[in-house]
Amino acid sequence: MMGVIDRIEEGIAVIEFDDGFLMELPAKYIPGAREGVVVEVRVDEKETGRRRNDIAKLQQDLLAGKHLKKKKKN
């Protein structure tokens, strides 16, 4: 989905999408943010999958009590 930065007010970029929807986002999160810049919002399926796997591993470790086990000193 693509939109254009309509304006920046007090560090907040107001992005207008093709359907007229307005979204506000701190301009510091948009590299090169200025009025008229086109931005794209997209879903990164590969990164989503990687993070889901990381979270599932953390949940398994918590359920197994791995966070309670003391590490052995060498």
Side-chain angles (χ1 to χ4, degrees):
M1 175 179 279
M2 299 181 97
V4 64
I5 297 177
D6 181 61
R7 62 190 178 278
I8 298 176
E9 299 173 339
E10 299 181 14
I12 303 296
V14 179
I15 303 166
E16 184 173 0
F17 292 92
D18 294 336
D19 63 358
F21 178 77
L22 297 175
M23 181 174 84
E24 296 180 351
L25 184 69
K28 68 181 183 179
Y29 295 121
I30 306 170
R34 62 186 185 285
E35 291 180 10
V37 168
V38 174
V39 295
E40 179 180 16
V41 177
R42 65 181 181 84
V43 174
D44 186 329
E45 292 292 342
K46 184 176 179 181
E47 182 64 14
T48 299
R50 186 191 68 74
R51 290 183 184 205
R52 281 186 180 151
N53 289 337
D54 288 350
I55 291 168
K57 173 76 168 87
L58 287 170
Q59 288 174 330
Q60 290 172 354
D61 290 350
L62 283 170
L63 290 173
K66 291 186 179 182
H67 64 291
L68 300 175
K69 298 177 183 175
K70 292 184 179 181
K71 295 182 180 181
K72 294 182 181 179
K73 293 182 180 181
N74 290 338

